[in-house]
Amino acid sequence: TAASRRRNRRYSAGRPPAVGARPDRRPHPVTGSTASRDPVTGAALVRLTESAVFQHHLHQSGPTLTPDGSRLVWVSWETGSPNLCARLVAGGEVRRLTYRKDLRPLSPVITRDGLAVLYTARETLMAATLEEGEETELAVFAGAVAGDPAAAPDGRTVIVPVATGSRARIVEVDLFTKAQRVLLDEPSRAAPGRVQISPDGTRVLLEGAPGEM
């Protein structure tokens, strides 16, 4: 279909520079990307992407690499809106995973199995697979705005802060059945924030200004 062709188009920017494009740097023997060294530690620095547009990692509270370290996921603003991109660390082309104008730029989080990345867009919780770039709608919070989610350690659930303008909710969503369970529901006019989950999965930390939620 036309939609699948759009999803599977290779990303036009952000590819590693060609060998010899930067004479001041040597090509990395594995990735083919150019490399330099940290002036303080001497550690090798390998450039995995190259683009004239603004790009940034996922939220600072979560990794931008998959759990096995094989893939890098980041946010690019090449279209003027934030969208997700990914590539194999060992080499290969950059794949654009989303084609949206409403993706919340700091919401993406990689699933515990490393197969997909979760993100929110307005009232919707979405997932995009890293291998195929297929997008799936996981939850719709009608009349609300979804904040930045957190993937639970069990690998099965994700927790999402949701704001309606008059109430704040923390909702648990099952990634397999899409079932929802409300963990918190109280009056609040705050915008949706971000949640984090303790390593054992028993506690949820909500980020927000004091007294907002």
Side-chain angles (χ1 to χ4, degrees):
T1 65
S4 64
R5 287 195 295 271
R6 286 196 300 271
R7 282 195 297 268
N8 292 327
R9 280 206 305 264
R10 298 297 184 179
Y11 194 46
S12 61
R15 296 183 180 179
V19 174
R22 293 203 171 200
D24 57 319
R25 297 178 181 177
R26 58 181 177 79
H28 190 271
V30 176
T31 66
S33 302
T34 53
S36 59
R37 291 197 173 274
D38 183 275
V40 177
T41 66
L45 305 176
V46 180
R47 180 183 292 274
L48 297 179
T49 65
E50 184 95 11
S51 178
V53 300
F54 180 55
Q55 302 181 98
H56 60 81
H57 53 71
L58 307 186
H59 194 273
Q60 60 265 26
S61 67
T64 202
L65 288 171
T66 53
D68 63 1
S70 66
R71 293 179 187 270
L72 176 71
V73 186
W74 70 95
V75 177
S76 173
W77 292 70
E78 186 191 27
T79 63
S81 302
N83 275 286
L84 287 165
C85 298
R87 64 157 287 171
L88 291 170
V89 173
E93 293 184 302
V94 173
R95 180 185 292 276
R96 182 168 164 185
L97 302 178
T98 60
Y99 294 81
R100 306 187 67 98
K101 294 183 178 181
D102 57 356
L103 186 147
R104 190 175 170 97
L106 292 179
S107 69
V109 58
I110 299 170
T111 56
R112 298 287 175 152
D113 58 15
L115 298 179
V117 57
L118 309 172
Y119 63 91
T120 55
R122 298 184 182 176
E123 61 182 16
T124 308
L125 172 67
M126 301 287 298
T129 59
L130 295 180
E131 184 66 32
E132 301 87 4
E134 296 289 341
E135 296 183 74
T136 301
E137 184 181 279
L138 297 175
V140 176
F141 308 103
V145 176
D148 302 336
D154 62 9
R156 184 179 184 91
T157 56
V158 58
I159 295 179
V160 190
V162 179
T164 66
S166 60
R167 302 196 67 82
R169 298 187 179 97
I170 304 296
V171 182
E172 180 185 67
V173 180
D174 190 298
L175 296 176
F176 297 92
T177 67
K178 301 184 182 180
Q180 299 182 24
R181 182 167 69 103
V182 177
L183 305 180
L184 173 72
D185 185 352
E186 62 181 28
S188 174
R189 295 185 178 277
R194 185 177 185 86
V195 291
Q196 295 189 54
I197 306 173
S198 62
D200 62 2
T202 62
R203 295 178 182 272
V204 176
L205 172 66
L206 174 64
E207 298 179 8
E212 283 191 342
M213 300 188 73

